[in-house]
Amino acid sequence: DQHYRKLTASIEKYLQIENRNLGVVLGNGAIEVIYKTIEYLPIKKIIVATPTFSEYRRAAVLNNIPIDEVNLYDADGKLDMEKLLTLVEEQVLVILCNPNNPTGSLTPKEELMVLANKLNEHNGYLMVDETFIEFTSNYPAGSLLDSEIKNLVIIRALTKYFGMPGLRLGYGVFMN
C-alpha cells in the first residue's frame, strides 16, 4: 500500500486519535517530517528556543527561512514563556522540543496552549517535537495531542520509545 493506510491507522490507534479529523504524515524519521513541514508552511520566520536539537536550524537554512535562535531556558531548564510570547509576530513558526533535548525539561501543556493560541491570532504555527514525551512521568497528559488547537504540528518518532535503532520512521500530527 503506497499510502501506508494500515501503518497510519495503527499510529492513530496508538495515539487514540482515530476518530478525529487530524492529518498524520509519515516520514523517513522525524527529521524528514520537520524539514518537510517547514518547507510546506506559509511562514516568514522561525523562532527556536535554545539550547535544543540542531536540526531545526538546518531545516530553516535549507528552506531559506530566517531563524531567530533565542536562549529561553534558565539554569534549571525552565522555558521563559513570557519572553517567548513577546517574540510572536505574523506568520512565525515557533519550534519547541518537549521535553527539550538536551535539557530534558518539560514545559507544561497549559503554557504551550497559551503560546499556540497567541500564534493562531497572528497566523503563526507551533511545532512541538514530542519525540521523547513517552518517557515523561505524566505521559500522555503532558502531550498536546488531545488539544483542539489549530496550526499545531506535533512531531514524533518510533525509534526512541520503542527502542528500534536503525528504523527511520517519524510522523507528524497536523491539527486542522
Side-chain angles (χ1 to χ4, degrees), residues 110-174:
E110 297 76 25
E111 289 184 31
L112 294 174
M113 291 176 74
V114 169
L115 173 62
N117 286 323
K118 182 162 185 176
L119 285 162
N120 273 329
E121 293 169 8
H122 291 84
N123 298 310
Y125 296 85
L126 175 60
M127 178 189 292
V128 181
D129 184 341
E130 291 189 350
T131 303
F132 293 99
I133 195 125
E134 287 132 325
F135 291 107
T136 63
S137 61
N138 69 341
Y139 179 77
S143 172
L144 286 175
L145 272 176
D146 65 351
S147 70
E148 298 293 329
I149 298 170
K150 295 183 179 186
N151 297 351
L152 173 64
V153 180
I154 297 173
I155 305 293
R156 297 266 188 99
L158 294 179
T159 56
K160 307 293 190 273
Y161 185 70
F162 293 102
M164 296 186 282
L167 177 65
R168 303 281 312 152
L169 182 56
Y171 58 94
V173 179
F174 292 74

Side-chain angles (χ1 to χ4, degrees), residues 49-121:
T50 62
T52 197
F53 186 48
S54 64
E55 287 296 329
Y56 309 136
R57 176 180 226 330
R58 286 190 194 134
V61 170
L62 181 69
N63 287 288
N64 296 314
I65 299 173
I67 183 169
D68 285 347
E69 294 176 294
V70 186
N71 188 351
L72 293 172
Y73 291 96
D74 66 19
D76 295 325
K78 184 175 176 0
L79 180 67
D80 184 346
M81 185 59 72
E82 286 185 32
K83 184 174 180 182
L84 179 54
L85 288 169
T86 66
L87 302 174
V88 171
E89 56 190 67
E90 285 297 309
Q91 291 183 282
V92 69
L93 168 65
V94 173
I95 303 175
L96 296 173
C97 194
N98 201 41
N100 190 31
N101 174 12
T103 66
S105 61
L106 186 67
T107 301
K109 180 180 187 173
E110 297 76 25
E111 289 184 31
L112 294 174
M113 291 176 74
V114 169
L115 173 62
N117 286 323
K118 182 162 185 176
L119 285 162
N120 273 329
E121 293 169 8

